[in-house]
PDB file of all heavy atoms in Angstrom:
ATOM      1  N   PHE O 814     -11.135 -28.542 -27.129  1.00  0.00           N
ATOM      2  CA  PHE O 814      -9.888 -28.424 -26.389  1.00  0.00           C
ATOM      3  C   PHE O 814      -8.728 -28.604 -27.355  1.00  0.00           C
ATOM      4  O   PHE O 814      -8.907 -29.018 -28.505  1.00  0.00           O
ATOM      5  CB  PHE O 814      -9.815 -29.466 -25.267  1.00  0.00           C
ATOM      6  CG  PHE O 814      -9.649 -30.883 -25.763  1.00  0.00           C
ATOM      7  CD1 PHE O 814      -8.393 -31.441 -25.942  1.00  0.00           C
ATOM      8  CD2 PHE O 814     -10.759 -31.666 -26.054  1.00  0.00           C
ATOM      9  CE1 PHE O 814      -8.239 -32.744 -26.391  1.00  0.00           C
ATOM     10  CE2 PHE O 814     -10.618 -32.969 -26.489  1.00  0.00           C
ATOM     11  CZ  PHE O 814      -9.359 -33.511 -26.666  1.00  0.00           C
ATOM     12  N   GLU O 815      -7.543 -28.272 -26.876  1.00  0.00           N
ATOM     13  CA  GLU O 815      -6.315 -28.508 -27.634  1.00  0.00           C
ATOM     14  C   GLU O 815      -5.480 -29.548 -26.897  1.00  0.00           C
ATOM     15  O   GLU O 815      -5.474 -29.588 -25.660  1.00  0.00           O
ATOM     16  CB  GLU O 815      -5.514 -27.208 -27.776  1.00  0.00           C
ATOM     17  CG  GLU O 815      -6.232 -26.127 -28.559  1.00  0.00           C
ATOM     18  CD  GLU O 815      -5.396 -24.866 -28.625  1.00  0.00           C
ATOM     19  OE1 GLU O 815      -4.230 -24.967 -29.067  1.00  0.00           O
ATOM     20  OE2 GLU O 815      -5.887 -23.807 -28.235  1.00  0.00           O
ATOM     21  N   ALA O 816      -4.825 -30.384 -27.641  1.00  0.00           N
ATOM     22  CA  ALA O 816      -3.976 -31.401 -27.026  1.00  0.00           C
ATOM     23  C   ALA O 816      -2.967 -30.740 -26.097  1.00  0.00           C
ATOM     24  O   ALA O 816      -2.332 -29.742 -26.449  1.00  0.00           O
ATOM     25  CB  ALA O 816      -3.259 -32.205 -28.110  1.00  0.00           C
ATOM     26  N   THR O 840      -5.752 -37.399 -24.848  1.00  0.00           N
ATOM     27  CA  THR O 840      -6.245 -37.675 -26.195  1.00  0.00           C
ATOM     28  C   THR O 840      -6.158 -36.426 -27.061  1.00  0.00           C
ATOM     29  O   THR O 840      -5.963 -35.320 -26.562  1.00  0.00           O
ATOM     30  CB  THR O 840      -7.705 -38.170 -26.152  1.00  0.00           C
ATOM     31  OG1 THR O 840      -8.447 -37.360 -25.224  1.00  0.00           O
ATOM     32  CG2 THR O 840      -7.780 -39.607 -25.700  1.00  0.00           C
ATOM     33  N   SER O 841      -6.325 -36.626 -28.368  1.00  0.00           N
ATOM     34  CA  SER O 841      -6.326 -35.501 -29.291  1.00  0.00           C
ATOM     35  C   SER O 841      -7.767 -35.085 -29.564  1.00  0.00           C
ATOM     36  O   SER O 841      -8.704 -35.862 -29.333  1.00  0.00           O
ATOM     37  CB  SER O 841      -5.634 -35.890 -30.598  1.00  0.00           C
ATOM     38  OG  SER O 841      -6.511 -36.643 -31.416  1.00  0.00           O
ATOM     39  N   PRO O 842      -7.999 -33.869 -30.052  1.00  0.00           N
ATOM     40  CA  PRO O 842      -9.361 -33.414 -30.344  1.00  0.00           C
ATOM     41  C   PRO O 842     -10.099 -34.326 -31.322  1.00  0.00           C
ATOM     42  O   PRO O 842     -11.329 -34.397 -31.297  1.00  0.00           O
ATOM     43  CB  PRO O 842      -9.148 -32.016 -30.934  1.00  0.00           C
ATOM     44  CG  PRO O 842      -7.858 -31.550 -30.329  1.00  0.00           C
ATOM     45  CD  PRO O 842      -7.016 -32.779 -30.240  1.00  0.00           C
ATOM     46  N   ALA O 843      -9.353 -35.044 -32.162  1.00  0.00           N
ATOM     47  CA  ALA O 843      -9.987 -35.922 -33.147  1.00  0.00           C
ATOM     48  C   ALA O 843     -10.724 -37.085 -32.488  1.00  0.00           C
ATOM     49  O   ALA O 843     -11.565 -37.727 -33.132  1.00  0.00           O
ATOM     50  CB  ALA O 843      -8.930 -36.463 -34.112  1.00  0.00           C
ATOM     51  N   GLU O 844     -10.429 -37.371 -31.225  1.00  0.00           N
ATOM     52  CA  GLU O 844     -11.048 -38.508 -30.541  1.00  0.00           C
ATOM     53  C   GLU O 844     -12.345 -38.148 -29.815  1.00  0.00           C
ATOM     54  O   GLU O 844     -12.948 -39.001 -29.172  1.00  0.00           O
ATOM     55  CB  GLU O 844     -10.037 -39.119 -29.577  1.00  0.00           C
ATOM     56  CG  GLU O 844      -8.826 -39.701 -30.293  1.00  0.00           C
ATOM     57  CD  GLU O 844      -7.746 -40.176 -29.341  1.00  0.00           C
ATOM     58  OE1 GLU O 844      -7.987 -41.179 -28.637  1.00  0.00           O
ATOM     59  OE2 GLU O 844      -6.669 -39.551 -29.291  1.00  0.00           O
ATOM     60  N   LEU O 845     -12.744 -36.866 -29.866  1.00  0.00           N
ATOM     61  CA  LEU O 845     -14.039 -36.500 -29.305  1.00  0.00           C
ATOM     62  C   LEU O 845     -15.137 -37.296 -29.989  1.00  0.00           C
ATOM     63  O   LEU O 845     -15.017 -37.637 -31.164  1.00  0.00           O
ATOM     64  CB  LEU O 845     -14.277 -34.993 -29.489  1.00  0.00           C
ATOM     65  CG  LEU O 845     -13.562 -34.055 -28.503  1.00  0.00           C
ATOM     66  CD1 LEU O 845     -13.655 -32.619 -28.976  1.00  0.00           C
ATOM     67  CD2 LEU O 845     -14.147 -34.195 -27.095  1.00  0.00           C
ATOM     68  N   PRO O 846     -16.218 -37.651 -29.285  1.00  0.00           N
ATOM     69  CA  PRO O 846     -16.681 -37.139 -27.984  1.00  0.00           C
ATOM     70  C   PRO O 846     -16.059 -37.811 -26.776  1.00  0.00           C
ATOM     71  O   PRO O 846     -16.500 -37.578 -25.658  1.00  0.00           O
ATOM     72  CB  PRO O 846     -18.185 -37.424 -28.037  1.00  0.00           C
ATOM     73  CG  PRO O 846     -18.284 -38.675 -28.838  1.00  0.00           C
ATOM     74  CD  PRO O 846     -17.219 -38.545 -29.902  1.00  0.00           C
ATOM     75  N   LYS O 847     -15.032 -38.650 -26.960  1.00  0.00           N
ATOM     76  CA  LYS O 847     -14.379 -39.284 -25.824  1.00  0.00           C
ATOM     77  C   LYS O 847     -13.123 -38.507 -25.440  1.00  0.00           C
ATOM     78  O   LYS O 847     -12.416 -37.982 -26.299  1.00  0.00           O
ATOM     79  CB  LYS O 847     -14.032 -40.734 -26.139  1.00  0.00           C
ATOM     80  CG  LYS O 847     -15.243 -41.648 -26.310  1.00  0.00           C
ATOM     81  CD  LYS O 847     -14.819 -43.074 -26.546  1.00  0.00           C
ATOM     82  CE  LYS O 847     -16.033 -44.005 -26.672  1.00  0.00           C
ATOM     83  NZ  LYS O 847     -15.642 -45.409 -26.907  1.00  0.00           N
ATOM     84  N   GLY O 904      -1.194 -36.681 -25.428  1.00  0.00           N
ATOM     85  CA  GLY O 904      -2.197 -35.930 -26.172  1.00  0.00           C
ATOM     86  C   GLY O 904      -1.574 -35.174 -27.338  1.00  0.00           C
ATOM     87  O   GLY O 904      -2.103 -35.174 -28.460  1.00  0.00           O
ATOM     88  N   GLN O 908      -2.063 -35.852 -31.378  1.00  0.00           N
ATOM     89  CA  GLN O 908      -2.512 -34.808 -32.289  1.00  0.00           C
ATOM     90  C   GLN O 908      -1.565 -34.670 -33.475  1.00  0.00           C
ATOM     91  O   GLN O 908      -2.005 -34.498 -34.618  1.00  0.00           O
ATOM     92  CB  GLN O 908      -2.646 -33.469 -31.571  1.00  0.00           C
ATOM     93  CG  GLN O 908      -3.141 -32.347 -32.494  1.00  0.00           C
ATOM     94  CD  GLN O 908      -3.461 -31.067 -31.764  1.00  0.00           C
ATOM     95  OE1 GLN O 908      -3.381 -30.996 -30.544  1.00  0.00           O
ATOM     96  NE2 GLN O 908      -3.837 -30.036 -32.495  1.00  0.00           N
ATOM     97  N   ASP O 911      -2.480 -37.409 -35.767  1.00  0.00           N
ATOM     98  CA  ASP O 911      -3.792 -37.265 -36.389  1.00  0.00           C
ATOM     99  C   ASP O 911      -3.819 -36.195 -37.475  1.00  0.00           C
ATOM    100  O   ASP O 911      -4.558 -36.306 -38.451  1.00  0.00           O
ATOM    101  CB  ASP O 911      -4.856 -36.954 -35.329  1.00  0.00           C
ATOM    102  CG  ASP O 911      -5.084 -38.135 -34.387  1.00  0.00           C
ATOM    103  OD1 ASP O 911      -4.671 -39.258 -34.735  1.00  0.00           O
ATOM    104  OD2 ASP O 911      -5.675 -37.926 -33.308  1.00  0.00           O
TER     105      ASP O 911
END
Side-chain angles (χ1 to χ4, degrees):
F814 70 91
E815 297 178 55
T840 43
S841 79
E844 296 174 69
L845 281 168
K847 293 183 178 180
Q908 181 172 357
D911 293 343

